[in-house]
Amino acid sequence: MKIWTPQSLIAFEEKIAELFNKGEIRAPVHLSDGTEESLIGIFKEVKDEDWIFCSWRSHYQCLLKGVNPEDLESEIVAGRSIALSFSTHNIYSSAIVGGQIPIAVGAAISLQKSKSKGRVWCFIGDMTSETGMAQTAIRYSEKHNLPIIFIVEDNGISVLTETRKVWNSSTLRFEENMNSTVRSFKYTSKYPHAGAGKRVQF
Amino acid sequence: MGAYMDELTRAMNYLGQQQNTIFIGQSVEVAGTAMRNTLLEVTTDKLLELPVEEDFQAGISIGMALSGLVPVSIFPRWNFLLLATNQIVNHLDKLKELTQMDAPGKVIIRTGIGSENPLHPGPQHTGDFTDAFKLMCPHLSVVRLDTKEMIFSEYKRAYERTDGVSSILIEWSDKYID
């Protein structure tokens, strides 16, 4: 399996940005930046049998789980960037806010019932972490000792809405009630929420 | 052939005998709904009582299906199932397209049209959204069990199908006391 470095991840995403800006991807893309070192660190713990559940921004996670970069690029160019799934790598993503969360919990229950050694890794953003679904899932998973870890990728905004401002709180609930089920890291990105920073006219 | 309720019990017993099934929802392990009375012969290791949060339950069902189980996901009334519409429409109905798999796993959803006799619970408990869900979920099998003759064969078909299509099977609660 390819060993990814921050530089090689950034280079992959810059290639996708270029393809998008040239109008060669006729579908939305949500590009990653600033999360390289955090995700590389997390994926050192991820095993082949583990499951990965993501949102609409999942290119890095797919690469780090072992998806061939050419296969991933093909899927992105085919217009499937915002809901990437690779069944052979146990990866499922959702373009609906929090959509992957209860599905991840269901997979974790299956693993627990089958006494599998596998774990589930569920990636969510900071705004999503405040939703009722996230709170339900985190609480249920913690109380049932499910083999699942929620990773909050915290850039402080949802599109351009400031998460802590709209909740009128300097802290979010995952920061107030940290437990072994939830991890988080902060980052800033050079890319906008969607696209690659250049208006593309098809 | 027995009465409507007897056929439901026969169908649940059949599903309960399959190695990879699991029954989830509210009032599956404990008493509380008429549907529960059709699960009394299913072994307890196959019953998972969940908190009442329908979209959470529907998502859990999908995750179980993706990872090898066949969940029988029980929502006692259509009106309650509406709260799971997000997961059903945005994920379950699109599962084959999203995963690009021929058979990504299947969910058997069991719901009902609330009974009007002997007590009429009013408009929030007696809805029938079968036609609406047929329109919203073109990739699901949505079948209203209008006769007792349909029950066993439809549940058996829902379990045995190999095309990865999930099912919503709708029962008439008023027929439970035929």
Side-chain angles (χ1 to χ4, degrees):
Chain A
M1 190 165 83
K2 181 177 172 63
I3 304 298
W4 290 93
T5 64
Q7 293 74 27
S8 59
L9 287 172
I10 291 167
F12 177 89
E13 209 70 318
E14 287 179 343
K15 183 181 180 187
I16 299 300
E18 186 180 348
L19 289 172
F20 184 83
N21 284 341
K22 286 197 297 189
E24 294 182 17
I25 303 172
R26 299 177 72 89
V29 294
H30 299 278
L31 300 173
S32 293
D33 177 61
T35 58
E36 297 83 13
E37 294 200 5
S38 296
L39 291 178
I40 288 171
I42 288 166
F43 273 82
K44 286 178 180 171
E45 296 181 55
V46 176
K47 310 296 185 200
D48 286 347
E49 65 268 28
D50 288 359
W51 285 75
I52 304 295
F53 289 87
C54 297
S55 68
W56 43 88
R57 183 177 291 105
S58 66
H59 298 175
Y60 281 178
Q61 285 90 339
C62 292
L63 293 171
L64 291 166
K65 185 67 167 49
V67 175
N68 182 299
E70 287 77 28
D71 294 342
L72 177 58
E73 182 180 327
S74 295
E75 287 295 289
I76 295 167
V77 171
R80 289 189 275 272
S81 172
I82 67 171
L84 290 164
S85 289
F86 293 91
S87 59
T88 52
H89 291 81
N90 290 349
I91 297 172
Y92 183 88
S93 306
S94 172
I96 302 295
V97 172
Q100 77 277 26
I101 294 174
I103 302 174
V105 174
I109 296 172
S110 287
L111 293 177
Q112 186 182 61
K113 285 199 165 290
S114 66
K115 297 182 169 54
S116 165
K117 291 180 180 175
R119 288 193 289 181
V120 173
W121 302 78
C122 183
F123 293 84
I124 60 178
D126 45 278
M127 185 71 89
T128 301
S129 78
E130 288 288 279
T131 62
M133 182 57 76
Q135 295 302 309
T136 296
I138 290 168
R139 179 171 170 77
Y140 185 88
S141 300
E142 180 191 5
K143 298 300 182 186
H144 288 269
N145 292 313
L146 295 182
I148 184 171
I149 296 167
F150 296 90
I151 309 289
V152 182
E153 300 178 89
D154 180 4
N155 67 347
I157 54 174
S158 171
V159 189
L160 291 174
T161 304
E162 295 178 41
T163 305
R164 288 167 178 80
K165 183 176 180 182
V166 293
W167 279 103
N168 195 27
S169 174
S170 61
T171 55
L172 303 181
R173 277 185 280 187
F174 75 85
E175 297 168 302
E176 297 162 5
N177 301 301
M178 287 300 287
N179 60 58
S180 59
T181 306
V182 182
R183 299 185 199 174
S184 68
F185 62 84
K186 291 184 184 292
Y187 75 100
T188 57
S189 174
K190 66 184 178 186
Y191 294 117
H193 167 71
K198 181 179 170 183
R199 178 159 182 82
V200 179
Q201 198 72 44
F202 291 108
Chain B
M1 178 172 290
Y4 199 87
M5 194 68 162
D6 297 330
E7 287 302 293
L8 286 171
T9 300
R10 185 162 78 98
M12 294 306 111
N13 287 346
Y14 163 78
L15 292 173
Q17 288 161 6
Q18 310 309 315
Q19 182 266 332
N20 56 353
T21 52
I22 182 168
F23 297 74
I24 70 171
Q26 187 189 18
S27 298
V28 298
E29 276 188 62
V30 300
T33 68
M35 284 187 181
R36 157 69 181 161
N37 294 330
T38 65
L39 303 176
L40 297 177
E41 295 168 37
V42 177
T43 56
T44 54
D45 62 309
K46 282 188 168 288
L47 306 175
L48 178 62
E49 190 83 5
L50 286 178
V52 182
E53 187 149 344
E54 287 81 359
D55 210 43
F56 185 54
Q57 177 182 330
I60 284 174
S61 305
I62 296 168
M64 287 176 162
L66 285 173
S67 51
L69 294 173
V70 179
V72 181
S73 195
I74 297 178
F75 301 85
R77 297 178 195 274
W78 255 130
N79 296 82
F80 307 162
L81 183 61
L82 289 181
L83 292 159
T85 303
N86 165 48
Q87 283 292 333
I88 292 170
V89 173
N90 284 322
H91 291 274
L92 186 60
D93 182 59
K94 314 294 185 289
L95 209 54
K96 291 173 74 168
E97 181 179 354
L98 290 170
T99 62
Q100 298 180 70
M101 295 174 71
D102 292 333
K106 63 198 171 198
V107 176
I108 301 172
I109 291 177
R110 184 180 173 193
T111 192
I113 302 162
S115 60
E116 298 182 2
N117 292 293
L119 302 175
H120 197 303
Q124 291 180 328
H125 277 47
T126 52
D128 178 5
F129 306 105
T130 303
D131 292 339
F133 269 72
K134 282 181 178 178
L135 288 173
M136 289 193 293
C137 304
H139 308 298
L140 299 184
S141 173
V142 183
V143 179
R144 192 172 56 207
L145 301 170
D146 288 329
T147 67
K148 64 184 181 184
E149 287 79 11
M150 298 172 70
I151 293 172
F152 187 83
S153 61
E154 288 294 341
Y155 275 109
K156 188 167 187 281
R157 178 166 169 261
Y159 175 77
E160 290 185 343
R161 62 191 311 158
T162 58
D163 56 6
V165 171
S166 291
S167 301
I168 302 177
L169 298 175
I170 304 106
E171 303 164 13
W172 287 98
S173 301
D174 265 331
K175 293 179 183 286
Y176 289 175
I177 50 174
D178 276 353

